[in-house]
Amino acid sequence: MRTEELPFFVYGTLRPGAYNHDRFLLGRTGAEEDAVLPGALLHDGPGYPYAVPGEGRVTGTLVTAAPGTYGELLGVLDRVELPAGYERTAREALRTRDGAAVRAWVYVAAPGAPLGPVIESGDWFRRVPGGPRTP
């Protein structure tokens, strides 16, 4: 079965400026746009966050694969995210610049994921103690 070629909504260590962005996304993206995921809460986790359904919004980035790299990007993200306690689902994110709803793949907490406290701001970069973590 062929997977629908949707952009990806990333909200933690894969966002531009976070430590896994260049490691896994550099050279594989054609566009990166600020966005929010409505109807979700952000939880701290073991060094990375988890989004779950809830009454809130999660801040992140819509990532579109560079031409000809979709299959590679999907494979990389599945290999990184699925073993870390996520499952991939299609959801509507809202692009910040114009409010447009964009259907995207989002890696959300799978059942049994080690959820920590809720990050009230919905923004991994604004969590306490705050900011992107770099190596």
Side-chain angles (χ1 to χ4, degrees), residues 21-22 35:
H21 177 273
D22 287 357

Side-chain angles (χ1 to χ4, degrees), residues 17-19 131-135:
Y19 60 88
R133 295 182 189 164
T134 55

Side-chain angles (χ1 to χ4, degrees), residues 59-70:
T59 299
T61 304
L62 278 171
V63 175
T64 303
T69 65
Y70 188 83

Side-chain angles (χ1 to χ4, degrees), residues 6-8 28-33 62-67 69-70 73 102:
L6 300 174
F8 299 88
R28 294 183 172 116
T29 66
E32 298 177 349
E33 302 178 281
L62 278 171
V63 175
T64 303
T69 65
Y70 188 83
L73 181 58
V102 178

Side-chain angles (χ1 to χ4, degrees), residues 37-121:
L37 182 68
L41 293 173
L42 191 64
H43 283 262
D44 205 356
Y48 41 88
Y50 289 103
V52 299
E55 297 291 322
R57 318 166 35 118
V58 173
T59 299
T61 304
L62 278 171
V63 175
T64 303
T69 65
Y70 188 83
E72 176 187 359
L73 181 58
L74 176 65
V76 165
L77 292 177
D78 276 356
R79 284 190 300 279
V80 169
E81 302 287 59
L82 299 178
Y86 296 93
E87 58 188 20
R88 181 169 33 95
T89 186
R91 295 271 313 265
E92 288 207 347
L94 302 176
R95 198 168 45 214
T96 303
R97 70 176 162 86
D98 60 5
V102 178
R103 192 162 170 78
W105 291 120
V106 182
Y107 292 89
V108 298
L115 301 179
V118 170
I119 297 170
E120 295 294 335
S121 68

